[in-house]
Amino acid sequence: MPDPQQPWYTPGPPQQPVPGNPYASDGATVPPPPRRRSGRGPVVAAVVALALVVVAGAVYAVTDLGRGEPAKPVARKSPGPSVSASASAPAGAPELSRVPTTREVAAARKPGEAEAWIADDRTDIPKQINPVHDLWIVGDTAVQALYRKVTAHRLSDGAEVWSLTLPSAVCETPANPTPDGKVVVFRHERPDNERSNRCNQMQMIDLSTGELGWSKKLDEPGDEDDTFIVHSAVSGDVLSVARGQRAVTYRMDDGSRLYKVPSEKKGACFPDDVAGGPARLLVSYTCMVSMDRSKNYGQVRELDPRTGEVLWRHRTKTGWSFGSLISMDPVVFTVYNNEDTAKDWRITVLEPGGEHRVTFDARGKGFEECAGTGSGGDIQPCRGAGVGKGLIMLGGQDQVGAYDAKTGKFLWGVKDNRMRRLYPLRAEDGHAMRVYEAAGPSTPGRTYLMGPRGAGTETDVVNHPAATARWEYEMSMGQTADVDGRLVLTPTQVSGDEHRKPVREARMLSFAPGAP
C-alpha cells in the first residue's frame, strides 16, 4: 500500500499490451509539436471543386465557382449511416488501415470494457497538417470544425446529426459558444492555399441546429494585414476579436460593432488576446516599453462585456508575460519569463477583484506548461490543466497532480513510467479528481478516480475497449471533454496525406460506462 504521508511516488511496472485487439498495430506515432508563442499561423486551404453541405439531415451539393460564395444548394436524399471501407494505397505504399465502425467496436467489446463509439470522416482535406478546432458540447451533441466542414455528432452513439461545408477553410474558433449554443467561426478570405489568404470572414452558426446566421468581413480601415492571425472569444452574447495590436467587440445577435478595446502608454501597452466565458471577458495585454525584453511585462484585465468598462487589471512582474488561461473563475493563468519563454514559467491565481493571491512554480514536480503544449496560439484553453473544488489540476507526460488553489501548495500527485499522458478531467468531492490515462501504441487508455492517497488507490471508472486502442493512441495529445461521465476525444490536427500514415485517423472517439 502507498504511504499516505508520501503523495508523490511511482506506481508499478509498465502495463503489458492488451491481447486480442483486432485493430491494433505496432509502431509509434510522433506527437504534434508544442504550440509556439509567436501565435498560430493561418490555416492553409486547398481548392475543392465539389463540397457537400449537410444541414438538418439533408445533403446538398455545392459547386465552388471560385467566387468565394456557395452556389444555390440542390437538395437530395441523405444517405444512412456509412460503413468505412478499406482505402486503397498508391502502388508500392503500405496498405492503409481503416477506421472500424461503431458496430464492429461493439461486437469486439469484452466484459468490463466501456461502451464506445467512433466517428470517421471521409471528406477530402488538403495533403498537409490540418488543425482540428475547438470542441463544443451543445445539448446532446459534440460539435467541431475541420477544414471547411463543421459537424455535430450525437453524444449517445456518435451519429452525425448535422454538418455544413463553408466556402473556405475555418481558421479560428472561440473556446466556447453562447449559453444558447451560437458561435462565430472565422474562415479564410479565399478558397485557396496561398499564405496571403487572410482570416477575415466571420460566420455565425447555431450549433443546436446547424443553421447559418449572419456573416460579415472582419474589416477595420487600414488593418487588413492584421487579419492573418486572429483570436476570438465569446462572453455571453458578446464576441471579442483580437488581432495585431487591437481588439474589438461585436454583438452576437447581428454582428454589429460594440466598442474598441483601448491601448495604453501611447500604444506601447496593447491588447493581444481575449478569453471568454458565460458572462466574463478577459483581455491580455503586452506592454513593450523597452527594446530590452527583461523590462517589458504583461497585463490582464476583466472588462464588462457589453460596455467595455474595466472592472480590474493585474500586471505581471517586470520581465514576465501572460501565458495561457487555466480558469475563468477563479482567474488562474500561466506566466512566462520573457528571456526564457520555453522553460521558465509559473502559475498565478487572482482574487475575485483581480488582486494577486499566489504565484507558484510547478516545475519542481516535473510539470510542463499546459501539459507540454506551452503558450501560444489562443490563450484559451490551457490543455491538460483545470480548476475545480479548490484544486488546480495539472497533467502531462507520465504524471498528474493537484495544488491548493488558495495557497499554491502541492497536495498530491502520481508519476508513472509507462510513457502515458495523464489528463485531469474534473475535480471530485473529497479532494479527488477524475483522470484520463491516454492509450499506448497498442493498449487502451482508462478513466479513473484518484485522491490524496495517490497511486495504488485508483478506482477505475471506465476501462476503454481494446478494439479502439490504436485510434485512441492517435489522439493521445488531443482534446478531451467530460460530459456527465462520458469522455469525448478528438485529435488536434489531422493529416490530409493519408498514405503517409500506417493508421487512418478517426475524427472523434467516445467512451461511457456500460452494462457488463
Side-chain angles (χ1 to χ4, degrees), residues 1 79 83 99 124 130 141 145 170 253 311 325 337 343 358-360 362 428 487 503:
M1 291 291 292
V83 177
V99 176
D124 187 29
N130 299 274
T141 62
V170 174
D253 57 357
L311 303 180
L325 185 72
N337 189 326
K343 296 181 180 179
V358 65
T359 294
F360 64 92
E428 303 279 355
L487 178 65
V503 173

Side-chain angles (χ1 to χ4, degrees), residues 145-372:
L146 169 63
Y147 186 44
R148 296 183 176 188
K149 190 175 180 182
V150 184
T151 309
H153 291 275
R154 193 160 52 218
L155 286 170
S156 59
D157 58 8
E160 186 176 294
V161 178
W162 59 262
S163 70
L164 56 88
T165 300
L166 301 173
S168 57
V170 174
C171 47
E172 161 63 12
T173 58
N176 57 275
T178 64
D180 62 350
K182 294 181 176 62
V183 78
V184 171
V185 303
F186 292 75
R187 61 179 180 82
H188 282 299
E189 187 173 34
R190 304 187 308 273
D192 59 43
N193 62 351
E194 297 297 326
R195 290 186 177 272
S196 60
N197 204 347
R198 297 182 176 90
C199 182
N200 63 6
Q201 303 296 311
M202 300 192 292
Q203 175 66 65
M204 196 269 272
I205 303 174
D206 187 334
L207 300 180
S208 300
T209 63
E211 296 178 353
L212 297 176
W214 58 265
S215 62
K216 64 179 293 184
K217 183 179 180 181
L218 179 62
D219 185 14
E220 301 296 333
D223 72 346
E224 284 200 358
D225 286 343
D226 288 336
T227 60
F228 290 117
I229 299 175
V230 173
H231 308 290
S232 65
V234 171
S235 304
D237 59 355
V238 173
L239 170 70
S240 302
V241 185
R243 76 270 192 205
Q245 299 181 3
R246 54 180 58 84
V248 180
T249 62
Y250 300 87
R251 291 184 177 87
M252 280 292 297
D253 57 357
D254 60 5
S256 59
R257 177 170 163 169
L258 282 171
Y259 56 87
K260 179 180 179 180
V261 179
S263 298
E264 284 187 351
K265 294 185 180 295
K266 298 180 180 180
C269 272
F270 53 85
D272 58 8
D273 212 330
V274 288
R280 302 188 76 175
L281 168 59
L282 297 182
V283 180
S284 67
Y285 275 69
T286 295
C287 294
M288 301 180 67
V289 296
S290 171
M291 294 296 292
D292 183 351
R293 288 183 296 177
S294 67
K295 296 181 181 180
N296 296 327
Y297 56 91
Q299 190 182 112
V300 60
R301 303 179 188 180
E302 180 175 5
L303 306 185
D304 181 302
R306 293 200 172 199
T307 66
E309 176 189 358
V310 178
L311 303 180
W312 54 258
R313 68 185 71 198
H314 170 82
R315 183 190 141 162
T316 67
K317 290 174 55 178
T318 300
W320 291 73
S321 294
F322 186 96
S324 292
L325 185 72
I326 297 176
S327 168
M328 289 287 285
D329 187 17
V331 175
V332 182
F333 55 91
T334 68
V335 293
Y336 61 87
N337 189 326
N338 292 338
E339 295 188 295
D340 187 359
T341 62
K343 296 181 180 179
D344 196 2
W345 67 282
R346 305 286 189 274
I347 292 177
T348 292
V349 185
L350 301 184
E351 298 288 355
E355 301 88 357
H356 180 264
R357 177 187 295 175
V358 65
T359 294
F360 64 92
D361 189 350
R363 296 176 303 159
K365 296 298 183 183
F367 288 107
E368 297 180 282
E369 187 181 8
C370 301

Side-chain angles (χ1 to χ4, degrees), residues 434-499:
R434 183 177 292 242
V435 177
Y436 167 52
E437 179 184 292
S442 59
T443 55
R446 61 174 177 151
T447 304
Y448 60 87
L449 294 178
M450 179 174 286
R453 294 182 63 193
T457 64
E458 305 99 319
T459 301
D460 284 349
V461 177
V462 182
N463 289 310
H464 302 177
T468 57
R470 196 64 185 88
W471 289 270
E472 185 182 357
Y473 177 65
E474 292 287 327
M475 301 178 186
S476 63
M477 290 188 70
Q479 304 182 60
T480 62
D482 181 87
V483 189
D484 298 326
R486 171 179 289 279
L487 178 65
V488 180
L489 304 176
T490 77
T492 55
Q493 56 188 32
V494 173
S495 172
D497 193 354
E498 296 176 343
H499 302 296

